[in-house]
Amino acid sequence: MLLDLLREDLHLIGAKQGCDRKGQCGACTVLVDGKAVRSCISKVADLDGAEVWTVEGLGTPDNPHLIQEAFVLAGAIQCGYCTPGMIMATKALLDGNPDPDEGEIKKAFARNLCRCTGYKKIIEAVKLAGRFIRGEISPDEVRPDPRSGTIGVSHPRPSAMLKACGLAQFSADIQMQGALEIAVVRSSEHHARIQSIDTSQAEQMPGVVGVMTAKHIKGSNRIKLIFDDQPVLCSDRVRCLGDPIAVVVAETKAQAEAAAQAVKVGYDPLPVMMTPAEALADGALQIHDEYPNLCWAQPQIKGDAQKALAEAAAVVEADFSTQMNHQAPLEPEACVAYLEGEGEDALLVVIGRSIMIHSHMAMLQGALGWENIRYEEAYCGGQFGIKVAITSEAVAGAAALHFRRPVRYIPSLHESMLLTSKRHPFDMKVKLAADKDGKLTAFVNDFTINNGAYQILGIVVGLRALQMLSGSYNIPNVEAMAKLVYTNDAAGGAARGAGPPQVAFALESAMDMLAKKLGLDPFEFRLKNILVPGQSVSTGAIVEEWPFQGLWEDLRPHYERARKEAAAFKNGPIRRGVGLACHSFGIAEPGDAAMVAVERDPDDGITIYAAAADPGEGNDSMLTQIAAHLLNLPFEKVRLCTRSTEHTTETGPAAGSRITYMVGGALLNAIEQMKATMAEAGGSGYEGLQKAGKPTRFIGKKSVAEGPLDPQTGLGSTFESQVHNIQMAELEVNTDTGEVKIIKMTTAVDPGVVIHPKNLEGQLEGGMDQGVGFALREIYVHGETKDWVTFKFPTMKTAFDMEVITPRETPRKNGPLGATGIGEMTMVSTAPAVTNAIQDACGVRIYDLPATPEKIKAALLKGK
C-alpha cells in the first residue's frame, strides 16, 4: 500500500494509520495527482507515474504553507494525529474550490476523523485558509502580537506547527536500527484456565526470533496501579477476551503475526460472568483468588435521606444505566522499547503514550523486575483517560529485556480496542425529593459499577462519583451506596470525567423529572437549588467559593430564545426540544501533589522540567504563557522538558483536569522562589545568581491536604477547586424513525482566569462532541466493536453548531493566576442535556444510554 511506501521506505511519517487499513479515519490522506486519497487502501501498483504529495512537501516550520498557518492560528490542532490528513484534504478542497461553504467542507471531510476538536475548529481553519489563499487577509494580521500580552491571548501552541508539518514523532513513527516486530497471542476465551501453550510450530516459522511467555518475565508479571491483579502475560488463567498469553518477536510484523496464529493454546473454559448481577449471584466463581467479586463498596450518608423522602412534597424514582464506552483516541497503542548498554546494568528505554511517565516507570520496574528504566513520552494521538493505564508498554519492555534487541509493538486498531480499558458501565437506582417550595431535600443513588476483569483504578472512579454525587446542588440529605464488581468484561479505567458523567446522567435526568412533577421550569428549578458558599456537597465538606448562580443569568436569554424557537415544532413528525444539565467538576482532590523544576539558563531564558504530558489539551501553552508572564520573557526563551523520566519531576497524571491547577501552581511556586532569589542577588538574571553564589534551579511544589472519605459514612474533604458549567441542547426528534438531530449545543462556563481562549474553546467543543456521542450513539461491546464504523465514531456528518459562553472569569483563590482546569466538565453534563431535550421534544424519557433511534421509536410506540 502507498502508506507503507511512504512510512516504511521513504520515512515520511506525516501520514498516519488510525484504522486497520479500511479507509475509515483519513489520517493517512495524501494527494495523488491533486486528489485526496487514503493511502492505507491505495495500492502502489496502481500509481505508476502518479505525483504523490504528502504534508512534508507542503511546508516546513520555517516556511509553512498558508493552510498549515491557518490550522495553527485557528486552534484546530490538539493532539495532532489527524492533522496531516486534515491539512492535505484541505489542500485538495481549496485547490478546486477556494471559497467552500460549510456543507461543501463537511462533504470533503466525510472520511477524515477527529476525536479532539468536535470539528468546529477544523471547519474554521479551512475557512481561514481559504481567506489566506484568496488574499483577503494574511497570517500576520491574524497572529497575536507577542507584545499584546501573555495571559488571555491565543498565542500559537509551541507544538502546533511541528504537528501541522507532519514532523511530530508519535510512537509508531520512531524507527530503530535492527528493531524486531511484536505480535501478541491473545485469549479467544472470556474466562478459562490455560491448559497448555504450544509454541513449537511458531518458533520454526520464517523470520521468528523467538516466543516469550510468562515464565520468561523476571519480575512480578503484574501491572499494579491499585491492585496487583493484572498479568503482563497470563500463565494459568484468562479472565477476559483478548488477555495476553504469549509474545512472538520476528524480523517483520507480517512474520510475527503469522507465527502468532501458529501458537496453540489449550483452554479449560470457566463460567463467564459479563454483568455484576452474574458475578454477585449465589455460588458465582471468584474471578480473582485474592479478591472477592464485590471488590469494593463505599456508602455515603449525609443527613437523613429516608426521613426527608418521607416528608417530601414530591419524590421521583427511577433506574438509570450507562453503557461501556471506548475513549476512542485515534492513535493505536503503539510502543517502542530498547536497551542502552550491556548486561545487568543496561538501561531499558520505553517510548509510549503515557500521561504519567514516572508512575508507569515504577509499575514497569516491579512488573518486569528491572530497576534501570527510562520512560519517554512520544507525541500522543489523543487519550481521554485511556493512558492512565499501562497498555502496550509492559509487553514491549519485557520483550526488549528477554531478546536483548530493540522492539516495536504497533497493535492494530482492533487489538488496541481489546487491550485498553474502557469507561465503566453504571447501574443506578435513584430517588430525588423536594419540598413544597421546590427546594431539594433528599437524593438517593444506589449504584453498581461493572469493573470488568481488572481493577486498574475502578476504586478511584467510584470515589470520584461519590465526591461529585450532588453535582452543583445544595442537597441536605444524601444516601448512596457504591459497589464495584469484577466481571469478565473489558476492564474499566479512566475516561473523560471518570465517574461523574455516569452519576450526573442520573441526577440531571431526575432533576427534570422532579421539576415536571412540581410544575416548575427546569431552568428555574435548577437555579433555585444551586449551591452557594457556606453550604456543603455530598461529602459534607462546606465550600468557600462556588461562582455559579450568575452564570445562569448569562444563559437565560439563550434559553428563552431556544424555547421560543422550539415551540414552533410541536406538530408533525419533526419535534424540537430544549434540554438543560449542569455540573460542578472537582479539581485537585485531597492528597493531590505536583512538583516542577525551573532552571535559569545562561542566556537568561528558563527551562521548565515537569512530566506534564500534553496529549492535546494545550499544557505546553499553559506552562509557556504562565512562565513568560511571570518573568517577562519572550516565548522563545521559555523551554520545556516534559517527556522523559530522566530529566523531569513527578507531577502526577495529565488527568482529572488537574494539570493547569496543580502543575501550573507548582510552576508558580518555583518562579516565585526564583524571583525572590534574584532579588536577593540584586535583581539580575543568570549571571547575577552565579556571582552571588545563588542556585539557578528551583523546585516548586503544589499540594492539597489529605482527606479520605470516611469508610462508614463517605463523608470527608472535597476538591480544592471546581469548574462550573451549564449545558443546553437544542435538537430535533423524528417521531417516525426515532432519529435525533442535534441543532446546537451551548455551554456556559465560569473557567476561572483564562490563559489561552482557543485552547479553552477547543476543550469545550471536543467535550460536547464526545458527550453527544456518549448520549446518542457510542457503545463498546467487547470483541464485537472492532473499528470506527462499529463504534459509531463521530464524523463531520454528525458535527453540529456549538456556542461557548464564558462571560465570567472568576479568579480561583488557589489557582495559578486565578486559573483552574476545564478539560472534562463539559463532557459530564452533555448527555443528560441531550436526553432531557429528547424528552422535551417528544415526551420520551431515556433511562439507559445511549439514546438510539430504536429505543426512542420503541418508547414512542409504547406511549401510543
Side-chain angles (χ1 to χ4, degrees):
M1 294 298 173
L2 176 58
L3 183 63
D4 298 318
L5 176 69
L6 297 174
R7 291 182 57 83
E8 305 302 327
D9 297 343
L10 301 178
H11 304 300
L12 295 170
I13 61 171
K16 310 295 184 192
Q17 181 171 326
C19 64
D20 291 339
R21 311 217 169 202
K22 297 180 179 180
Q24 292 179 352
C25 76
C28 67
T29 301
V30 298
L31 300 189
V32 176
D33 293 333
K35 295 182 178 180
V37 303
R38 289 160 287 164
S39 61
C40 76
I41 56 173
S42 300
K43 292 182 178 180
V44 176
D46 297 335
L47 302 177
D48 188 31
E51 179 185 71
V52 178
W53 202 341
T54 73
V55 72
E56 290 93 338
L58 201 60
T60 66
D62 292 331
N63 185 27
H65 190 279
L66 291 174
I67 294 172
Q68 291 164 323
E69 290 261 41
F71 270 72
V72 170
L73 294 171
I77 301 172
Q78 291 192 29
C79 83
Y81 197 78
C82 74
T83 300
M86 292 285 183
I87 284 174
M88 296 313 291
T90 304
K91 178 74 165 63
L93 172 63
L94 296 181
D95 280 351
N97 178 6
D99 191 12
D101 61 26
E102 188 162 316
E104 291 167 326
I105 293 171
K106 286 187 173 184
K107 182 178 180 181
F109 286 80
R111 293 189 175 93
N112 286 80
L113 302 183
C114 175
R115 187 62 161 171
C116 296
T117 65
Y119 298 103
K120 183 176 181 181
K121 289 281 184 286
I122 292 172
I123 293 171
E124 291 173 357
V126 176
K127 291 180 177 180
L128 182 60
R131 294 188 69 199
F132 288 166
I133 287 169
R134 297 192 304 272
E136 297 174 3
I137 196 171
S138 72
D140 286 340
E141 293 174 85
V142 176
R143 186 179 295 107
D145 186 339
R147 297 167 298 180
S148 64
T150 53
I151 301 301
V153 183
S154 298
H155 294 288
R157 290 189 185 193
S159 61
M161 188 56 76
L162 196 69
K163 294 172 180 177
C165 295
L167 301 178
Q169 284 197 325
F170 297 80
S171 296
D173 299 333
I174 298 169
Q175 297 285 343
M176 301 292 300
Q177 186 71 31
L180 302 173
E181 298 284 346
I182 285 176
V184 177
V185 179
R186 296 189 173 275
S187 170
S188 60
E189 305 294 319
H190 288 278
H191 197 196
R193 298 194 189 280
I194 298 174
Q195 299 286 74
S196 61
I197 306 172
D198 182 359
T199 65
S200 57
Q201 183 180 346
E203 290 170 349
Q204 303 304 312
M205 292 181 68
V208 173
V209 174
V211 182
M212 181 180 70
T213 59
K215 66 184 180 183
H216 298 116
I217 295 177
K218 296 180 179 180
S220 68
N221 190 37
R222 290 292 184 274
I223 300 168
K224 181 183 179 182
L225 187 56
I226 297 178
F227 291 177
D228 59 348
D229 60 354
Q230 186 176 15
V232 177
L233 294 175
C234 298
S235 58
D236 57 357
R237 186 172 175 181
V238 294
R239 296 171 174 85
C240 183
L241 181 73
D243 267 352
I245 297 170
V247 175
V248 178
V249 172
E251 298 292 342
T252 70
K253 187 175 181 181
Q255 290 170 335
E257 290 174 341
Q261 294 293 320
V263 174
K264 297 180 175 64
V265 181
Y267 298 101
D268 178 15
L270 294 171
V272 175
M273 295 158 281
M274 298 298 284
T275 67
E278 293 169 327
L280 296 177
D282 290 342
L285 182 66
Q286 197 164 304
I287 292 172
H288 291 274
D289 294 339
E290 304 88 347
Y291 308 105
N293 288 354
L294 179 59
C295 57
W296 174 80
Q298 173 68 59
Q300 188 168 78
I301 304 167
K302 173 190 169 187
D304 188 342
Q306 295 304 320
K307 181 174 183 291
L309 286 169
E311 296 173 353
V315 179
V316 293
E317 181 176 358
D319 294 351
F320 298 93
S321 64
T322 61
Q323 74 275 36
M324 180 172 286
N325 187 235
H326 183 43
Q327 299 89 329
L330 210 55
E331 181 191 15
E333 295 299 318
C335 183
V336 175
Y338 63 95
L339 293 174
E340 287 184 355
E342 302 290 337
E344 296 301 310
D345 295 327
L347 173 69
L348 173 64
V349 181
V350 176
I351 305 174
R353 290 168 27 82
S354 175
I355 58 167
M356 41 192 284
I357 57 178
H358 287 272
S359 295
H360 281 174
M361 179 183 70
M363 292 162 67
L364 291 171
Q365 287 168 330
L368 305 183
W370 198 263
E371 189 68 23
N372 198 11
I373 298 178
R374 180 174 77 238
Y375 196 117
E376 295 181 1
E377 176 205 350
Y379 281 94
C380 180
Q383 62 88 31
F384 314 107
I386 205 168
K387 278 308 299 171
V388 167
I390 289 276
T391 54
S392 53
E393 301 99 319
V395 162
L401 286 171
H402 180 64
F403 295 104
R404 297 284 162 157
R405 293 271 301 274
V407 296
R408 286 170 21 107
Y409 181 26
I410 317 297
S412 65
L413 171 61
H414 181 205
E415 186 178 6
S416 293
M417 287 182 166
L418 286 175
L419 66 87
T420 49
S421 63
K422 305 294 180 288
R423 185 183 297 279
H424 294 84
F426 276 46
D427 290 304
M428 298 162 282
K429 296 181 180 297
V430 166
K431 295 178 184 178
L432 187 66
D435 63 20
K436 60 182 177 58
D437 298 319
K439 288 282 192 175
L440 293 172
T441 58
F443 180 43
V444 173
N445 190 342
D446 184 350
F447 61 94
T448 302
I449 307 170
N450 183 341
N451 193 57
Y454 301 106
Q455 171 64 228
I456 304 182
L457 46 50
I459 290 173
V460 174
V461 171
L463 285 170
R464 289 172 62 82
L466 288 172
Q467 288 168 321
M468 294 182 241
L469 191 72
S470 55
S472 303
Y473 306 113
N474 177 37
I475 310 178
N477 304 285
V478 176
E479 180 179 305
M481 173 58 78
K483 296 185 286 291
L484 186 71
V485 182
Y486 278 125
T487 70
N488 296 120
D489 211 338
R496 197 172 198 166
Q502 293 93 320
V503 293
F505 168 63
L507 174 58
E508 289 296 320
S509 298
M511 284 294 291
D512 259 36
M513 294 166 65
L514 189 53
K516 184 177 181 180
K517 193 166 188 177
L518 289 164
L520 295 174
D521 181 273
F523 183 102
E524 303 298 342
F525 182 49
R526 285 177 169 84
L527 180 57
K528 183 188 289 280
N529 285 286
I530 290 297
L531 197 74
V532 297
Q535 296 175 337
S536 64
V537 295
S538 66
T539 67
I542 295 173
V543 300
E544 296 180 10
E545 56 179 11
W546 203 267
F548 202 4
Q549 287 197 328
L551 201 60
W552 285 89
E553 298 305 330
D554 298 324
L555 183 68
R556 185 183 293 277
H558 300 268
Y559 177 70
E560 291 173 350
R561 185 267 312 156
R563 297 294 309 165
K564 184 177 179 180
E565 291 179 3
F569 290 83
K570 293 305 180 186
N571 296 304
I574 305 299
R575 305 291 178 89
R576 184 171 290 192
V578 179
L580 294 170
C582 65
H583 189 67
S584 298
F585 192 82
I587 296 160
E589 65 186 359
D592 200 354
M595 186 164 56
V596 172
V598 179
E599 187 159 4
R600 196 79 186 193
D601 298 330
D603 68 348
D604 275 327
I606 63 164
T607 301
I608 299 169
Y609 298 91
D614 189 0
E617 296 99 322
N619 295 327
D620 56 353
S621 293
M622 179 272 295
L623 294 170
T624 301
Q625 291 183 213
I626 287 179
H629 171 76
L630 292 173
L631 291 167
N632 194 27
L633 288 173
F635 293 136
E636 61 269 19
K637 284 202 170 184
V638 179
R639 294 121 189 163
L640 303 181
C641 180
T642 61
R643 297 182 176 275
S644 172
T645 53
E646 185 174 354
H647 301 295
T648 59
T649 57
E650 166 66 280
T651 60
S657 304
R658 60 180 291 281
I659 292 293
T660 294
Y661 190 83
M662 292 300 300
V663 181
L667 173 64
L668 183 70
N669 179 252
I671 290 175
E672 286 173 344
Q673 294 177 50
M674 177 182 285
K675 291 171 73 174
T677 304
M678 286 193 300
E680 292 173 7
S684 56
Y686 176 84
E687 187 176 342
L689 291 171
Q690 290 280 62
K691 286 181 178 179
K694 299 289 187 180
T696 58
R697 185 181 178 95
F698 302 86
I699 303 295
K701 297 180 179 179
K702 166 75 177 172
S703 61
V704 182
E706 292 278 357
L709 297 186
D710 184 282
Q712 303 304 316
T713 65
L715 301 183
S717 301
T718 189
F719 298 86
E720 191 171 276
S721 180
Q722 288 82 24
V723 60
H724 309 279
N725 101 296
I726 312 163
Q727 203 68 34
M728 184 175 75
E730 299 170 66
L731 54 76
E732 291 177 350
V733 178
N734 185 323
T735 56
D736 290 337
T737 65
E739 292 179 350
V740 174
K741 179 183 178 182
I742 302 293
I743 304 300
K744 184 178 183 180
M745 296 296 302
T746 302
T747 184
V749 182
D750 187 333
V753 173
V754 175
I755 295 169
H756 192 292
K758 286 193 181 298
N759 285 356
L760 168 73
E761 292 165 3
Q763 288 298 292
L764 301 183
E765 291 160 1
M768 284 189 271
D769 192 52
Q770 286 191 20
V772 167
F774 183 53
L776 297 180
R777 298 182 306 275
E778 298 174 10
I779 185 168
Y780 177 84
V781 180
H782 200 50
E784 296 180 19
T785 307
K786 299 181 178 182
D787 56 23
W788 300 132
V789 171
T790 52
F791 176 68
K792 298 182 180 177
F793 195 101
T795 67
M796 277 280 189
K797 183 179 179 180
T798 61
F800 46 85
D801 187 22
M802 304 179 192
E803 184 174 358
V804 172
I805 303 171
T806 54
R808 299 167 190 266
E809 297 183 26
T810 307
R812 298 309 195 263
K813 178 181 176 182
N814 297 309
L817 307 180
T820 190
I822 49 86
E824 293 169 276
M825 52 60 183
T826 309
M827 164 77 199
V828 177
S829 49
T830 297
V834 170
T835 54
N836 286 339
I838 291 171
Q839 199 283 331
D840 182 59
C842 64
V844 166
R845 168 68 58 192
I846 296 296
Y847 300 90
D848 174 27
L849 291 182
T852 62
E854 293 78 14
K855 291 178 186 176
I856 295 170
K857 181 70 179 297
L860 285 167
L861 292 173
K862 186 177 180 180
K864 292 177 180 178

